[in-house]
Amino acid sequence: MKKEVAFTCELPNGIHARPANHLEAVCNQFKSTITLKNLRNNNEGSAKSVLSLVGTDTLLNDPCSMLIEGEDAEAAFDVLAKYLHNEFPHCDEELVVMDEGEVTLPQSLMRHHPTLVNAKRLSAGIGKGKLIRYSEVELSLFESAVSAMTFEHAKTLVTEKLLDQAESASGQEKAIIEAHLSILKDEALNHSVMTFVEQGETLAKAIILAVDVICESLLQSSSDYLKERVLDIKDIALQLLIAAHPEMNISTEFTLTEPSIVIANDLTPSQFLGLDREHLKGLILTQAGSTSHTIILARAFNIPAVSGVAVAECAAQEGELIYLDGSLGVVALAPSEHVATYFERAIWLAEQMAAKEGAFTHLSGKTRDGKEIEIAANIACTVEAEPAFAKGAEGIGLFRTEMLFMDRATAPDEDEQFNAYKTVLEAAEGKPVIIRTMDIGGDKPIEYLNLPHEHNPFLGYRAVRIYPQFISLFHTQIRAILRAALFGKTKVMIPMIQSIEEIRWVKAQINAVKAQMEQDGVAYGEFELGIMVEIPSVAFIMDQFCKEVDFFSIGSNDMTQYLLAVDRDNDNVAKLYNSLAPSFLRLLEAVVSGAHARNKWVGLCGELGANKKVLPLLVGAGLDELSMAAPSITTTKAQLSQLDAQLCRELFVQACNCATIEEVEHLLEAFSRSQEDKPLLATECVLLDCDFNSKEEAIQTLVGNLGIQSRTNLVGELEADIWAREEVFTTGLGNGFAIPHTKSDNIVHSSISIARLNKPVRWSDEEDGEVEFVIMLTLNKNQGDQHMRIFSGLARKLIHENFRNTLKTMNTEDEMIAFLTSELAL
């Protein structure tokens, strides 16, 4: 029997190793021959081979066909038709890479005439260390090697090593190791190696020849991303060759004993993971691209990295101290004292920024007038829990358990589920964890359940609606959660509830499971029971639901699309999807006020929770909790600390009374401007007792501080504006004072910055060119003539010795601000 599935590749990076691994796993459930054909280039490859799939050079928006032939083709067709359209497009995400636009190097560096090597920016940050050349091992070293070891034995050794690494890995590191494991077991690689062995080649030669064939195919791709997978293939080959030839005593281990910047022609992911990251401060590579797995790992571990630099360009500096700036894309060789000072000051400024943001990590979410709002994390698997708590999560607001049931041939058993829930609860260390029971169906079909195909799955047979049919599956999940509840503060949320009858049925099932566990003598803990508020009908009977459940969590994504009857994934109507619709805000008010009137807790776990623009409205709505992706937690806490809960409430009431989305947006913009205005003079912009060595360091620090204080989002551009004014005429006024200034679009909050120096620095070549007191004016262009009024006022005051001496001798920032505010009538 023959069947065919047509689809369009929706993967942003095309079919590479990680999504190919998912597709291969689905196809390998069937006996039929399954072939992927790329209709753009007519390339074909076995869908049961990761490397064959990658070799089809399938890119975003390529039309494709899956050809199925065999005895179970009908069953394979049913599964693949759903998988390719519903799940496969979501098994990869677009990589976040650095902007490749031109970078203007700061004058505070360039005025010191540094020796720089320009490079491609790959991973941001500044590294400082001794330049160390990596000793590379070429595959050709094994050309003549002979081994008594079998290919299977070598594969087993490498597999065991990778599995050991995967156990302690998480995030990008784990995903890349898993991709390498899939390459190792790939049928195309294995078949090619064994074919060369059968033709009489040694194992080493067979591996090298097989890799050459595969890599040649990948290098024909029009996608840089797929070309960069060549390094992953060579990485696996090298590990196999080393494992097969222990007598050669070759190792890729490379020891770093002090802070180091490593330079190499290339570096494989396994070689990167073998480096001591405590001493690794930067990477300089010749060939790596922005989507190289090695670079993805560097970004994950915050290691600055650049490429496009030949080893020979830096050879003379091996063993010497250098600086690497991944954000600017430069390597600074033989740094002078002033160049070194620039980079040390840049590192210090970056540390100050990180410390400011990090200060909120372990604080509770709280408005400036003291209203507490729990900031929690959404997770989809156990490995996300610990990183989420490390980023400041005050709980897990949504544990999407359906991920445990997906991408597999059978459902997870009770023990597997128990261990997963227990792991997250233990990671929470007493913080609340909301476990959402399986939300299967709709956009998340599960092959082994054989759910019917539906024209409108979002409104169809999904979530709680399928539980009666799969009652043992639901009972097993509840049983596993009850067992795990002994290990932490557990809350269970039921998705897609729309009626009292449904929640009462759920409660009856929970009681039945408890009774059976008691009869079986199985210990269990208690949990709070809540519902996910997605269906608008719930809002109209909140009084009745409050009698049945302990808490509510609003799924803003689905609630918006159900309320507005808009499929947000349909390009024709997606523009109508907007959670700022006054009708949605009124629905939000009905749910929250209805719950609070009966002393029930209510949170929000949709994407809206991390929306910085909408946060004042969510605070004003009175929500008890906001749950979001872990990287947004610290930023949200910081913004929350600047908001007044009472003012947010007034804003929310006004928004609910608006007629249109546009009116709500204007209201938010006006509120944002009133909230974000910062005073012209503030202690955060006053730096006393500064040890600056140059004018350049003074300007670099004062402008950098404005970035730390969120007064500018464009530090480099603002500094360029300051230096542009300096080029016209020096801003030194004599008597040890200077007033650098600019009127710029690159300053968000007009500011007066002050630096009092411990020793004077040279500001200009004039006779009286030394400065020990800097007052920097950075005013927004919207400030009218305030720029010149303040400048001229300061210049007149500085003529008077008493005024100058008073500023020089003041003891505190507050004294200085009060004095200048009075004298300049600010």
Side-chain angles (χ1 to χ4, degrees):
M1 180 180 289
K2 295 182 180 180
K3 300 288 285 185
E4 183 174 350
V5 182
F7 70 100
T8 299
C9 178
E10 298 179 39
L11 299 170
N13 308 301
I15 298 181
H16 60 94
R18 280 175 284 159
N21 187 30
H22 289 281
L23 182 55
E24 174 219 36
V26 175
C27 293
N28 273 321
Q29 300 176 57
F30 305 101
K31 295 179 182 178
S32 292
T33 299
I34 306 177
T35 304
L36 173 71
K37 183 172 183 179
N38 184 329
L39 301 180
R40 172 180 59 84
N41 54 26
N42 290 318
N43 288 348
E44 294 185 2
S46 169
K48 296 183 178 182
S49 161
V50 169
L51 295 179
S52 293
L53 285 167
V54 173
T56 62
D57 188 23
T58 300
L59 310 178
L60 175 66
N61 294 325
D62 277 357
C64 299
S65 179
M66 193 70 80
L67 308 171
I68 310 166
E69 184 173 2
E71 61 186 73
D72 57 357
E74 187 75 44
F77 172 83
D78 290 342
V79 169
L80 283 167
K82 293 177 184 177
Y83 176 80
L84 289 168
H85 291 101
N86 296 325
E87 291 182 49
F88 192 52
H90 306 294
C91 69
D92 193 28
E93 58 186 23
E94 187 169 3
L95 283 173
V96 177
V97 298
M98 294 188 69
D99 177 19
E100 295 187 5
E102 186 177 345
V103 175
T104 301
L105 299 179
Q107 284 296 304
S108 50
L109 169 63
M110 299 308 292
R111 286 166 63 92
H112 296 309
H113 309 293
T115 301
L116 300 178
V117 177
N118 293 312
K120 181 177 181 178
R121 302 177 299 131
L122 297 178
S123 181
I126 301 173
K128 167 192 176 184
K130 183 183 288 188
L131 182 63
I132 304 293
R133 180 172 181 175
Y134 190 86
S135 301
E136 299 169 56
V137 179
E138 297 291 340
L139 299 186
S140 57
L141 188 65
F142 296 86
E143 284 273 3
S144 305
V146 178
S147 174
M149 188 179 293
T150 66
F151 184 44
E152 287 301 319
H153 188 190
K155 280 201 305 176
T156 299
L157 293 175
V158 178
T159 299
E160 289 173 350
K161 175 185 172 185
L162 290 174
L163 287 172
D164 285 343
Q165 291 177 345
E167 276 195 18
S168 59
S170 62
Q172 291 283 12
E173 180 182 2
K174 189 177 184 72
I176 290 169
I177 293 172
E178 289 174 346
H180 281 197
L181 281 164
S182 70
I183 293 170
L184 193 59
K185 67 181 183 183
D186 187 82
E187 67 173 29
L189 174 64
N190 284 259
H191 177 73
S192 184
V193 171
M194 293 311 299
T195 298
F196 283 119
V197 169
E198 289 166 4
Q199 292 173 357
E201 300 289 357
T202 64
L203 177 57
K205 187 70 173 177
I207 291 172
I208 293 169
L209 288 171
V211 166
D212 285 345
V213 171
I214 294 167
C215 291
E216 184 178 354
S217 172
L218 287 176
L219 289 171
Q220 302 305 312
S221 172
S222 51
S223 163
D224 288 339
Y225 189 92
L226 295 182
K227 288 177 183 176
E228 287 171 3
R229 301 291 72 79
V230 165
L231 194 60
D232 295 279
I233 310 300
K234 290 184 175 178
D235 192 346
I236 291 299
L238 182 58
Q239 293 184 64
L240 285 168
L241 290 167
I242 290 172
H245 300 86
E247 75 285 350
M248 293 181 67
N249 199 29
I250 293 175
S251 171
T252 57
E253 290 185 10
F254 191 78
T255 303
L256 301 176
T257 59
E258 58 185 314
S260 304
I261 292 176
V262 171
I263 186 168
N265 286 319
D266 223 329
L267 202 66
T268 69
S270 65
Q271 289 167 343
F272 173 87
L273 292 172
L275 294 171
D276 182 350
R277 289 188 289 277
E278 180 182 350
H279 291 313
L280 180 62
K281 302 303 178 183
L283 282 180
I284 305 171
L285 302 173
T286 300
Q287 300 173 20
S290 59
T291 59
S292 153
H293 276 165
T294 301
I295 296 305
I296 292 171
L297 287 169
R299 285 196 287 266
F301 290 108
N302 299 315
I303 303 294
V306 296
S307 72
V309 179
V311 173
E313 290 183 79
C314 303
Q317 292 300 124
E318 284 186 38
E320 301 295 326
L321 177 72
I322 69 166
Y323 290 91
L324 161 66
D325 193 321
S327 303
L328 295 178
V330 294
V331 179
L333 304 176
S336 65
E337 181 181 348
H338 282 308
V339 170
T341 297
Y342 165 83
F343 283 109
E344 294 294 339
R345 180 61 65 176
I347 292 171
W348 178 83
L349 287 166
E351 289 171 347
Q352 299 307 303
M353 177 68 85
K356 183 179 180 184
E357 292 179 347
F360 289 93
T361 301
H362 299 296
L363 296 179
S364 59
K366 188 183 294 185
T367 63
R368 72 180 182 215
D369 55 338
K371 177 178 171 56
E372 292 192 356
I373 300 177
E374 184 181 314
I375 308 299
N378 297 335
I379 66 170
C381 57
T382 56
V383 296
E384 293 182 81
E386 284 194 13
F389 288 116
K391 288 182 170 69
E394 298 178 69
I396 300 298
L398 174 61
F399 181 4
R400 300 181 178 95
T401 63
E402 56 272 10
M403 300 305 171
L404 289 168
F405 296 77
M406 298 174 73
D407 295 327
R408 55 193 300 155
T410 58
D413 62 21
E414 181 183 321
D415 283 341
E416 182 180 346
Q417 291 189 61
F418 161 72
N419 286 323
Y421 308 144
K422 175 175 174 282
T423 297
V424 175
L425 285 162
E426 288 179 333
E429 298 181 339
K431 299 182 181 74
V433 174
I434 298 179
I435 300 173
R436 184 176 71 185
T437 54
M438 51 187 180
D439 186 4
I440 292 170
D443 60 334
K444 296 182 279 288
I446 302 295
E447 285 79 0
Y448 53 82
L449 297 185
N450 294 315
L451 293 170
H453 175 73
E454 297 177 292
H455 292 296
N456 196 342
F458 286 99
L459 297 179
Y461 196 47
R462 56 174 288 208
V464 71
R465 299 171 180 183
I466 74 168
Y467 293 177
Q469 180 182 348
F470 302 99
I471 192 69
S472 67
L473 201 65
F474 181 52
H475 281 189
T476 298
Q477 182 170 40
I478 293 299
R479 189 178 172 100
I481 294 172
L482 283 166
R483 287 173 57 195
L486 291 166
F487 298 89
K489 187 175 181 180
T490 311
K491 303 169 90 171
V492 172
M493 177 166 64
I494 312 298
M496 212 53 189
I497 290 285
Q498 58 91 19
S499 69
I500 296 297
E501 291 88 343
E502 285 175 327
I503 195 62
R504 286 178 178 171
W505 180 86
V506 167
K507 291 168 71 175
Q509 301 312 306
I510 293 171
N511 288 334
V513 172
K514 287 181 178 179
Q516 186 62 52
M517 293 177 77
E518 289 168 4
Q519 185 176 325
D520 296 342
V522 178
Y524 66 84
E526 295 293 342
F527 56 67
E528 292 182 35
L529 180 66
I531 67 169
M532 190 165 185
V533 183
E534 306 163 88
I535 301 176
S537 61
V538 171
F540 297 95
I541 49 172
M542 284 297 295
D543 57 332
Q544 298 300 322
F545 271 109
C546 286
K547 297 174 185 177
E548 305 289 341
V549 301
D550 302 306
F551 70 93
F552 301 87
S553 187
I554 297 167
S556 59
N557 304 347
D558 278 350
M559 194 163 87
T560 301
Q561 71 175 358
Y562 290 150
L563 174 69
L564 303 178
V566 172
D567 178 359
R568 59 196 177 120
D569 294 322
N570 183 331
D571 291 339
N572 294 320
V573 296
K575 62 180 180 294
L576 301 175
Y577 177 93
N578 194 320
S579 296
L580 291 181
S583 55
F584 176 83
L585 299 178
R586 291 189 185 190
L587 184 66
L588 184 62
E589 166 70 5
V591 174
V592 177
S593 61
H596 285 176
R598 294 157 186 87
N599 298 313
K600 299 293 183 178
W601 181 100
V602 57
L604 184 143
C605 60
E607 294 176 6
L608 200 64
N611 189 317
K612 181 179 179 181
K613 172 184 174 183
V614 181
L615 183 60
L617 286 176
L618 301 181
V619 173
L623 290 156
D624 300 297
E625 177 244 36
L626 298 172
S627 190
M628 60 199 65
S632 300
I633 288 173
T634 302
T635 303
T636 300
K637 286 183 181 180
Q639 185 190 357
L640 187 62
S641 70
Q642 302 299 311
L643 296 174
D644 183 288
Q646 184 54 44
L647 293 177
C648 288
R649 179 61 190 171
E650 293 170 8
L651 170 73
F652 183 74
V653 171
Q654 287 179 286
C656 286
N657 289 321
C658 286
T660 67
I661 293 170
E662 185 178 17
E663 288 179 21
V664 175
E665 289 177 336
H666 287 326
L667 199 63
L668 274 174
E669 289 170 7
F671 181 84
S672 178
R673 285 194 298 271
S674 68
Q675 291 294 299
E676 293 184 359
D677 278 346
K678 291 176 178 280
L680 194 62
L681 268 169
T683 56
E684 64 188 27
C685 296
V686 179
L687 308 177
L688 303 180
D689 305 316
C690 300
D691 289 314
F692 296 152
N693 295 303
S694 65
K695 171 183 181 178
E696 289 77 13
E697 188 179 1
I699 290 177
Q700 176 193 10
T701 305
L702 288 174
V703 176
N705 183 60
L706 291 173
I708 293 169
Q709 305 307 334
S710 302
R711 289 172 174 260
T712 178
N713 300 317
L714 299 166
V715 172
E717 290 83 345
L718 183 61
E719 184 183 326
D721 292 338
I722 289 287
W723 283 111
R725 177 62 188 80
E726 290 292 320
E727 291 297 322
V728 176
F729 193 80
T730 180
T731 55
L733 298 182
N735 298 309
F737 280 77
I739 313 179
H741 56 278
T742 185
K743 190 175 182 182
S744 171
D745 284 331
N746 295 316
I747 186 77
V748 178
H749 305 287
S750 293
S751 307
I752 298 178
S753 302
I754 299 170
R756 188 172 67 193
L757 284 56
N758 289 327
K759 61 180 187 297
V761 298
R762 196 72 189 166
W763 201 266
S764 69
D765 294 331
E766 298 175 4
E767 184 178 347
D768 190 14
E770 289 200 328
V771 163
E772 56 187 334
F773 206 104
V774 182
I775 304 175
M776 185 176 76
L777 311 180
T778 47
L779 304 181
N780 193 282
K781 285 186 176 179
N782 294 330
Q783 298 292 317
D785 65 349
Q786 188 182 31
H787 169 260
M788 289 311 300
R789 183 174 61 81
I790 295 175
F791 180 84
S792 58
L794 261 175
R796 286 194 301 271
K797 291 286 183 179
L798 287 170
I799 294 172
H800 303 290
E801 186 176 1
N802 286 342
F803 182 85
R804 299 195 303 270
N805 289 339
T806 300
L807 285 176
K808 289 179 180 179
T809 57
M810 282 185 163
N811 295 316
T812 68
E813 294 89 341
D814 288 330
E815 279 185 286
M816 196 170 290
I817 288 172
F819 176 69
L820 285 173
T821 300
S822 172
E823 290 291 317
L824 299 175
L826 297 175

